[in-house]
């Protein structure tokens, strides 16, 4: 219940912050790192259009969904460990210090990373690497859950995991195809490759898990699907079906390794593998975007390792460093303001559902 409340509250908080100042700082020209205050409190936004074809209110709301889901992703890395008050302060600060500048640098024409020519069609760097790195920093600063690695921490409701993954899969078409901001051939191809990459990654994860652990699990195939969705996101506007299969295979293998072997080796408690799936998957997708692309209207797919790969790598490096530093600063400030960020041992034992929100998930 505590995780659901955090996500619901983040939806409300980010809606307000995006409306008051977030959209202005992200979208207006400003400088190479951040926008200006020209659209503060949505000043000047009425029923007019952007570039004569899409209402600005629609674009604002579409981008607001990204602004909501990116901080909400981070919650999965530190589930059941952080005070609710600290979560709210941390998210507001990180949104301001990391999400808005990275959005501006990547998606605003005058932004630093956009100026390099980096490609991020629907949020590989802005959303997934950004959130994944923040999640890693947060769970490392907080430390592991009580009993982590010693007690059985099986999922609460596996059918809900599958349902949630299915909802994400369908909803992702809106993110990726919608990022074209038009109902055209590019949007159609973005939808196609999103489906193919996701199916490939889920199937690949299933096979790898089957071979390595002896059984293909429901949680595993669902996690593989999310890895595919993440990895295809930056490339969805520039690759074709064969490229999407390659991205799906890479995401399934690399994200499985990151969520099992890498996490175990480094010893951090990333509850829902936010870094292993979103962070690593975003990196895989962003880098392969620099190698796979469709040439011209003929739809000929090409594979080439060259200058674009280095540009994509620079975008990945900047996002990792920027988000990591911003997350560390934000969580430290939240700790000072809240008298510490970590829930007490007694609260963790009793459960944050009761101690933070005074409710239980079920009635007896």
């Amino acid at each position: 219940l505590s995780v659901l409340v955090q996500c619901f509250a983040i939806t409300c908080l980010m809606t307000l912050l995006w409306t008051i100042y977030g959209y202005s700082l992200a979208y207006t020209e400003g400088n190479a790192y951040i926008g200006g205050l020209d659209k503060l409190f949505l000043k000047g936004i009425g029923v007019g259009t952007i570039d004569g074809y899409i209402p600005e209110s629609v674009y604002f709301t579409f981008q607001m969904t990204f602004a909501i889901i990116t901080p909400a992703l981070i919650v999965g890395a530190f589930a059941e460990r952080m005070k609710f008050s600290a979560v709210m302060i941390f998210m507001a600060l990180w949104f301001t210090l990391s999400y808005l500048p990275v959005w501006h640098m990547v998606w605003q024409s005058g932004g630093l990373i956009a100026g390099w020519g980096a490609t991020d069609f629907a949020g590989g760097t802005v959303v997934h690497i950004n959130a994944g790195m923040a999640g890693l920093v947060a769970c490392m600063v907080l430390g592991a859950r009580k009993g982590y690695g010693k007690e059985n921490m099986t999922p609460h409701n596996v059918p809900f995991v599958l349902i949630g993954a299915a909802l994400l899969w369908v909803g992702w078409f809106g993110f990726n195809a919608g990022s074209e901001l038009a109902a055209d051939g590019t949007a159609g191809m973005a939808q196609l490759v999103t489906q193919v990459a996701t199916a490939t990654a889920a199937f690949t994860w299933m096979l790898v898990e089957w071979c390595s652990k002896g059984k293909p699990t429901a949680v595993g195939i669902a996690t593989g699907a999310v890895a595919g969705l993440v990895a295809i996101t930056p490339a969805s506007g520039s690759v074709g079906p064969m490229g999407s299969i390659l991205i799906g295979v890479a995401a399934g293998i690399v994200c499985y390794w990151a969520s099992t072997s890498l996490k175990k080796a480094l010893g951090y408690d990333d509850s829902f593998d936010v870094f292993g799936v979103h962070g690593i998957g975003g990196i895989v997708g962003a880098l392969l975007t620099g190698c796979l692309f469709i040439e011209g209207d003929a739809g000929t797919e090409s594979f080439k390792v060259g200058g674009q790969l280095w540009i994509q790598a620079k975008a990945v490096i900047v996002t990792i460093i920027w988000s990591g530093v911003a997350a560390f600063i934000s969580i430290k400030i939240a700790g000072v303001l809240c008298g510490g960020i970590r829930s007490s041992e007694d609260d963790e034992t009793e459960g944050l559902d009761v101690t933070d929100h005074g409710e239980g998930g079920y009635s007896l």
Side-chain angles (χ1 to χ4, degrees):
L1 189 65
S2 65
V3 174
L4 295 175
V5 175
Q6 288 170 14
C7 290
F8 212 90
I10 286 170
T11 299
C12 302
L13 177 62
M14 294 308 147
T15 297
L16 291 170
L17 297 185
W18 184 248
T19 301
I20 294 168
Y21 66 86
Y23 180 68
S24 184
L25 289 178
Y27 180 67
T28 59
E29 290 189 6
N31 55 47
Y33 301 95
I34 197 69
L37 302 177
D38 296 348
K39 293 184 180 290
L40 200 65
F41 295 99
L42 300 192
K43 178 183 177 182
I45 296 179
V47 297
T49 60
I50 296 176
D51 297 330
Y53 71 99
I54 181 172
E56 189 168 7
S57 59
V58 173
Y59 181 72
F60 163 84
T61 308
F62 178 66
Q63 286 298 332
M64 183 171 65
T65 63
F66 288 85
I68 290 168
I69 198 173
T70 307
L73 287 173
I74 303 171
V75 167
F78 56 75
E80 297 295 325
R81 278 170 281 173
M82 191 186 292
K83 296 177 182 177
F84 183 67
S85 57
V87 172
M88 293 294 99
I89 293 171
F90 170 56
M91 292 302 172
L93 290 171
W94 182 85
F95 169 80
T96 305
L97 297 177
S98 187
Y99 182 75
L100 298 179
V102 173
W103 193 109
H104 183 83
M105 287 189 285
V106 173
W107 282 338
Q108 170 56 245
S109 58
L112 176 70
I113 295 173
W116 295 341
T119 298
D120 183 359
F121 190 72
T125 50
V126 178
V127 176
H128 299 291
I129 299 175
N130 209 2
M133 193 62 203
L136 178 64
V137 170
C139 71
M140 292 183 74
V141 171
L142 278 163
R145 286 167 289 176
K146 181 183 177 182
Y148 177 71
K150 300 176 183 178
E151 300 176 7
N152 185 20
M153 294 185 174
T154 53
H156 164 66
N157 190 317
V158 175
F160 277 10
V161 174
L162 270 294
I163 293 169
L167 290 170
L168 273 177
W169 193 330
V170 174
W172 221 282
F173 293 130
F175 278 127
N176 285 2
S179 290
E180 172 64 1
L181 304 179
D184 59 13
T186 298
M189 182 59 72
Q191 177 174 272
L192 188 160
V193 299
T194 297
Q195 173 68 22
V196 173
T198 304
T200 303
F203 199 76
T204 300
W205 186 298
M206 181 191 75
L207 293 177
V208 172
E209 185 180 45
W210 201 347
C211 292
S212 62
K213 295 188 175 181
K215 294 183 184 297
T217 67
V219 172
I221 196 169
T223 308
V226 178
L229 290 166
V230 169
I232 194 60
T233 291
S236 54
S238 58
V239 304
M242 296 304 102
S244 68
I245 289 176
L246 179 57
I247 288 174
V249 170
I253 294 172
V254 178
C255 291
Y256 179 84
W257 166 80
S259 299
T260 54
S261 301
L262 179 63
K263 183 167 72 169
K264 184 177 180 179
L266 297 181
Y268 59 86
D269 179 12
D270 181 354
S271 307
F272 300 148
D273 293 314
V274 174
F275 177 71
V277 173
H278 293 276
I280 297 298
I283 291 170
V284 168
L287 294 178
L288 287 179
T289 300
C291 304
L292 304 166
F293 51 90
I294 299 175
E295 291 184 320
D297 295 332
T300 302
E301 291 189 63
S302 300
F303 178 83
K304 184 188 297 182
V305 177
Q308 187 63 34
L309 176 59
W310 170 235
I311 292 171
Q312 297 296 115
K314 288 196 298 180
V316 167
I317 292 168
V318 169
T319 304
I320 288 173
I321 295 173
W322 193 291
S323 179
V325 171
F328 185 79
I329 293 171
S330 299
I331 205 165
K332 288 298 183 182
I333 294 174
V336 171
L337 296 177
C338 297
I341 55 174
R342 178 91 189 225
S343 299
S344 70
E345 188 171 315
D346 288 343
D347 286 352
E348 288 186 48
T349 300
E350 186 172 359
L352 302 189
D353 294 8
V354 175
T355 60
D356 275 359
H357 306 293
E359 298 172 297
Y362 301 95
S363 299
L364 297 178

